Amino acid sequence: MLDPIPVRGNMVNARGMIIMAAPAEVTWVKTDPTGAEILKIGGTRRGFFSKSNWELSVKEAIALVEQDEWRFFVHVDERKGWLEVLEQPDGTKKFSADGPIQTLM
């Protein structure tokens, strides 16, 4: 199988079909003892005929976002709040704790 090819912000497989990130609902977070840093996220991912629970470290989750495989959201007031990846001055990446994920902390 050939690797996907980036095309205008989307990934395209060898047959030219656009690959879109699968949405995954975040229903819980695990933080460090101070509550300042998110260590893990987890939740439910719905497929066509089923749903499954999942758990990822922040590093794993960010890699999936950057590979355009998964896109994470939190339900806030009946709407989807999408998680944003922030890059720190030292180059490390994390999810914004000021966005929709704050409702789970």
Side-chain angles (χ1 to χ4, degrees):
M1 175 179 238
L2 297 174
D3 289 335
I5 305 162
V7 175
R8 292 187 208 163
N10 293 312
M11 299 299 278
V12 177
N13 67 14
R15 293 183 179 166
M17 298 177 72
I18 294 176
I19 302 169
M20 295 178 60
E25 180 181 2
V26 178
T27 58
W28 61 267
V29 298
K30 180 179 179 182
T31 62
D32 68 353
T34 67
E37 183 180 351
I38 301 167
L39 303 175
K40 289 186 175 187
I41 62 173
T44 305
R45 183 172 174 197
R46 294 188 177 141
F48 287 109
F49 302 108
S50 65
K51 64 180 184 177
S52 59
N53 294 324
W54 54 269
E55 173 182 324
L56 297 166
S57 71
V58 170
K59 186 176 181 177
E60 292 168 324
I62 289 172
L64 289 169
V65 169
E66 290 180 334
Q67 294 166 10
D68 205 27
E69 291 184 30
W70 281 23
R71 195 167 167 220
F72 300 99
F73 69 92
V74 175
H75 270 118
V76 179
D77 298 326
E78 303 294 322
R79 296 169 67 184
K80 291 180 181 176
W82 298 98
L83 274 58
E84 293 182 40
V85 176
L86 301 176
E87 187 167 354
Q88 303 299 299
D90 65 359
T92 60
K93 296 179 182 179
K94 67 178 191 174
F95 286 116
S96 171
D98 296 330
I101 204 166
Q102 188 177 34
T103 62
L104 300 176
M105 297 175 74

